[in-house]
Amino acid sequence: MKVSPLDVRGHWVVVTGASSGLGREMATQLVKEHGANVVAVARRRDRLEALAQELHDGTTRVHPIVADLAKSADVARVFSEAVAVGEVRGAVLNAGVTYYGHTLDQDMPSFDNLLATNVTALVHLCQSFSKYFVHKKNSGGVLLISSMAGFAPLPYQAAYAATKAFVTSYGRSLAYELKGKGPSVSVFAPGGIATEMLELSGLSRKFSAGDVGIMSADECARIALEGFKKRRVLTVPGASNKLMAAGMKLAPNGVLMPAIARIYEGSLPEPKQDQ
Ligand SMILES: NC(=O)c1ccc[n+]([C@@H]2O[C@H](COP(=O)([O-])OP(=O)(O)OC[C@H]3O[C@@H](n4cnc5c(N)ncnc54)[C@H](OP(=O)(O)O)[C@@H]3O)[C@@H](O)[C@H]2O)c1
């Protein structure tokens, strides 16, 4: 069955995590190249206001919502405020955090924040917007930003990889359930991207912009939005990432895990606890 592309021109698209990195790029391209109005969600008000000012061109609109998606009340408010702004046609659920280091050194508040942001908020908003699209019969779309980290267990990003495995599995399952019902759910699973996440997590000790396999946020956003508009169930950007994703799925864990661990060797923080 032929699927009609997602048309966002002149419609509202919600982008979470729009204050930096991939989310900021997707919000910018949605406005500048796809003619969408954007509801931009994140915690940092100054960043959202700067984005709104930068993208203001007299026709398209950017509506900032300052929210901490690790808090359930904020998540509920994001949905109710977004649908009050205008008819929403898309939701790009991109906000995410990682933890890089020895897994036993990740304290529980950090884990709770990771789970709430990467999983609970994403499911809540995905369910709310998908039901809204069905109810409105507006054939909207949800884009879930996952990661190649979700394709295999990842030593030293154990909890993060598990959240992304959840996102990919959940998104693909829901996409199947919604087939033929109008709205679409798409999953985007990139490899490394040159964003603040690398700095914040300490991964920049190993990877930096310009390294082989690290994409620019601009290029990644372009491919993510193409998959979103074409309502593709799963998009992995770039030939080398596709090859690596296939390897991650096929290689036995006994080969894969030491290979991944070797990549991180030399860039890990000193363990905090006796291990
Ligand atoms: N960078 C990579 O190598 C890479 C690779 C694969 C997948 N990804 C995925 O891509 C997505 C975007 O990451 P990025 O690389 O662009 O990182 P980033 O530059 O650090 O951006 C993360 C965004 O998420 C928002 N965010 C984090 N916690 C939040 C919370 N509790 N409430 C609301 N917003 C929150 C941040 O905004 P505030 O801080 O202003 O709240 C920020 O806008 C994530 O889902 C990430 O897992 C990244």
Side-chain angles (χ1 to χ4, degrees):
M1 191 175 65
K2 190 149 169 32
V3 181
S4 56
L6 178 62
D7 179 16
V8 295
R9 190 161 294 278
H11 297 292
W12 287 95
V13 178
V14 178
V15 180
T16 68
S19 63
S20 76
L22 182 62
R24 192 181 201 284
E25 265 309 319
M26 289 189 290
T28 302
Q29 290 178 18
L30 279 163
V31 169
K32 288 193 172 169
E33 297 171 25
H34 301 277
N37 301 310
V38 164
V39 175
V41 182
R43 290 168 300 186
R44 286 171 289 181
R45 179 186 297 280
D46 56 332
R47 296 280 194 101
L48 294 181
E49 284 172 355
L51 179 70
Q53 202 162 1
E54 183 187 315
L55 297 180
H56 181 74
D57 67 359
T59 48
T60 47
R61 287 166 290 169
V62 175
H63 179 92
I65 299 181
V66 177
D68 181 351
L69 295 174
K71 297 181 177 153
S72 58
D74 280 23
V75 177
R77 178 170 57 81
V78 165
F79 176 71
S80 55
E81 206 174 313
V83 296
V85 168
E87 187 160 330
V88 174
R89 186 59 67 88
V92 177
L93 305 181
N94 157 82
V97 284
T98 188
Y99 175 85
Y100 172 55
H102 298 277
T103 298
L104 295 186
D105 286 344
Q106 183 176 20
D107 59 28
M108 284 304 110
S110 157
F111 173 73
D112 290 344
N113 182 59
L114 185 75
L115 194 64
T117 310
N118 293 11
V119 174
T120 311
L122 177 136
V123 170
H124 185 122
L125 292 174
C126 181
Q127 303 262 138
S128 300
F129 283 112
S130 299
K131 284 183 199 166
Y132 167 90
F133 296 143
V134 171
H135 178 70
K136 289 267 175 195
K137 296 188 172 55
N138 83 4
S139 297
V142 180
L143 177 63
L144 305 180
I145 304 302
S146 186
S147 168
M148 280 174 57
F151 291 151
L154 211 62
Y156 310 113
Q157 284 193 93
Y160 173 72
T163 65
K164 294 302 184 179
F166 177 99
V167 171
T168 301
S169 175
Y170 166 82
R172 295 179 74 183
S173 307
L174 182 57
Y176 184 86
E177 289 185 42
L178 288 177
K179 235 193 250 178
K181 296 197 170 112
S184 52
V185 173
S186 304
V187 176
F188 182 62
I193 319 166
T195 68
E196 279 175 20
M197 182 173 269
L198 297 187
E199 308 298 329
L200 292 173
S201 63
L203 277 162
S204 57
R205 286 193 293 272
K206 181 70 195 177
F207 304 107
S208 48
D211 284 358
V212 176
I214 302 295
M215 290 180 99
S216 71
D218 170 74
E219 184 185 8
C220 227
R222 209 165 294 288
I223 300 170
L225 293 178
E226 191 195 336
F228 181 42
K229 289 185 73 180
K230 289 187 172 164
R231 302 182 189 273
R232 267 192 218 123
V233 174
L234 177 66
T235 302
V236 175
S240 60
N241 282 338
K242 284 190 179 75
L243 199 65
M244 206 189 303
M248 286 170 86
K249 280 186 209 161
L250 296 174
N253 275 346
V255 173
L256 190 62
M257 307 277 257
I260 291 169
R262 258 197 309 278
I263 293 175
Y264 291 141
E265 262 165 27
S267 67
L268 282 164
E270 284 300 309
K272 286 186 210 150
Q273 302 168 359
D274 277 348
Q275 287 180 36

